[in-house]
Amino acid sequence: MPGLAFNPDNDIPDLSGKVIFITGGTAGLGAQSVAQMAKHSPARIYISGRNATSAEKIIKEIAETGSNTPVSFVECDLTSLDSVKRAADEIIAKESRLDVLMCNAGIMALPPGLTKDGYEVQFGTNHLGHALLIQKLLPLLQRTAERGADVRVIILTSKGYQLHPYGGIIFDDLKTTQDYGFLGSWRRYGQSKLANILYTRELARRYPAITVVSVHPGVITTGLVENLGWAHRWFIYATTYNQMVTLEEGAYNQLWAATTSKDGLETGQYYIPVGVASNDKLTKTGRDDVLAGQLWEWTDKALEDYL
């Protein structure tokens, strides 16, 4: 892998006292992140997802390693803004601090569909659900930062953001399935991952007390790939030949971003594995701060009934 050498056992510091929330922590990269961070004694880890059975399995596995860190499941369906609001309210009710929010959950290259609230399903899940979670938890994150803590929001994105439609984000169509035909599922995915990058930039600009970064994990053999149809799997394998990494390695970039010394981290930055600052490698659309501001305003309007 390019970038920094990273060994989570040796390079993650003591996390004593920290409270961590990881979306999609019941499988894949999220579960890997939970397992690695639990070795370093944070005060508590919360994991969200839709499958309580999967969560129970992860919690049991971590307890069996001898970790004393409590790991708790928070039910959260990112396709439902009501569900996201309830999850955030549960964290707010239980915690007086939040040090790390890792927006890890996501979907990829799905057929045309809508969230429960009527938004294009990939954009609604990958961006809008996480944006609501961030906005609901911002006061808690800010209070934690005001006490002198090193507070971070880690937002997973993908180099696949470059597949976005012409114009970047088609705001007028976000309450449709955006059925673009050939490669449409990838265009919708790219749009949602572009939103992750732009929202990171704007969040960092508006809330400088919190360190906010977007990370590309690499191309990984996770369920996101293996659950795709043969044509989509072929597309990924053909375009990323000899670039795929293991699930364990795939979690390194987000683990690095969540735990490395703050001196080595730049808020608003986009990192590729491992720890390579890459804003200068973003396309013009990925660096479009006007579009980032438009996305922020659109998102605020979409979420106003839930905040």
Side-chain angles (χ1 to χ4, degrees):
M1 295 173 70
L4 303 173
F6 180 78
N7 181 322
D9 285 337
N10 299 330
D11 295 334
I12 295 177
D14 178 41
L15 301 175
S16 294
K18 292 186 179 290
V19 177
I20 298 164
F21 183 18
I22 301 175
T23 69
T26 60
L29 295 176
Q32 282 290 322
S33 298
V34 176
Q36 294 293 348
M37 294 176 91
K39 296 177 183 178
H40 300 271
S41 305
R44 284 172 295 286
I45 300 177
Y46 293 92
I47 58 175
S48 73
R50 293 180 293 180
N51 191 326
T53 302
S54 295
E56 289 169 5
K57 179 182 176 185
I58 296 297
I59 291 168
K60 183 170 182 281
E61 287 174 354
I62 290 171
E64 288 173 349
T65 68
S67 170
N68 293 319
T69 297
V71 180
S72 303
F73 175 61
V74 177
E75 185 175 354
C76 181
D77 178 357
L78 287 166
T79 69
S80 165
L81 296 176
D82 278 331
S83 176
V84 175
K85 182 178 184 297
R86 286 194 299 272
D89 286 341
E90 183 175 341
I91 296 294
I92 292 165
K94 289 180 175 179
E95 289 297 337
S96 61
R97 69 180 296 145
L98 182 60
D99 298 85
V100 177
L101 172 59
M102 185 181 286
C103 298
N104 162 86
I107 56 176
M108 181 173 69
L110 293 188
L114 299 173
T115 67
K116 294 177 174 64
D117 304 287
Y119 295 96
E120 191 284 310
V121 68
Q122 295 191 75
F123 194 88
T125 303
N126 294 344
H127 167 65
L128 196 57
H130 276 125
L132 177 57
L133 190 66
I134 291 167
Q135 292 292 339
K136 290 283 292 179
L137 294 174
L138 262 174
L140 182 58
L141 291 162
Q142 286 181 283
R143 287 197 302 273
T144 309
E146 286 167 1
R147 300 183 195 126
D150 174 7
V151 176
R152 303 185 190 183
V153 177
I154 315 299
I155 300 176
L156 263 72
T157 184
S158 168
K159 277 189 175 179
Y161 83 90
Q162 297 175 67
L163 300 170
H164 63 74
Y166 178 77
I169 298 173
I170 313 304
F171 292 105
D172 290 345
D173 289 349
L174 288 174
K175 275 216 157 186
T176 75
T177 62
Q178 296 186 318
D179 190 354
Y180 296 137
F182 180 66
L183 291 181
S185 59
W186 290 109
R187 292 172 71 192
R188 294 187 296 273
Y189 176 70
Q191 177 179 243
S192 71
K193 295 288 100 179
L194 172 64
N196 292 147
I197 291 170
L198 294 176
Y199 205 72
T200 296
R201 292 170 69 90
E202 191 67 8
L203 184 64
R205 185 181 73 81
R206 290 171 180 258
Y207 296 91
I210 298 168
T211 301
V212 190
V213 299
S214 60
V215 298
H216 167 55
V219 185
I220 306 148
T221 51
T222 70
L224 282 183
V225 174
E226 300 307 320
N227 292 335
L228 294 173
W230 70 267
H232 288 314
R233 290 201 307 274
W234 178 88
F235 177 77
I236 290 175
Y237 296 142
T239 56
T240 60
Y241 177 72
N242 206 32
Q243 296 178 38
M244 298 192 85
V245 298
T246 66
L247 183 62
E248 182 180 5
E249 291 171 323
Y252 285 179
N253 204 26
Q254 64 206 67
L255 285 166
W256 172 85
T259 63
T260 193
S261 168
K262 189 175 180 178
D263 294 341
L265 206 59
E266 179 186 347
T267 192
Q269 184 64 256
Y270 162 68
Y271 287 94
I272 62 173
V274 172
V276 180
S278 299
N279 275 0
D280 61 342
K281 295 182 175 65
L282 290 169
T283 63
K284 182 178 178 181
T285 308
R287 292 180 278 108
D288 189 338
D289 289 334
V290 173
L291 183 58
Q294 292 171 343
L295 173 64
W296 187 276
E297 297 302 326
W298 180 93
T299 302
D300 273 1
K301 180 70 174 173
L303 299 179
E304 62 184 359
D305 291 338
Y306 298 89
L307 294 171

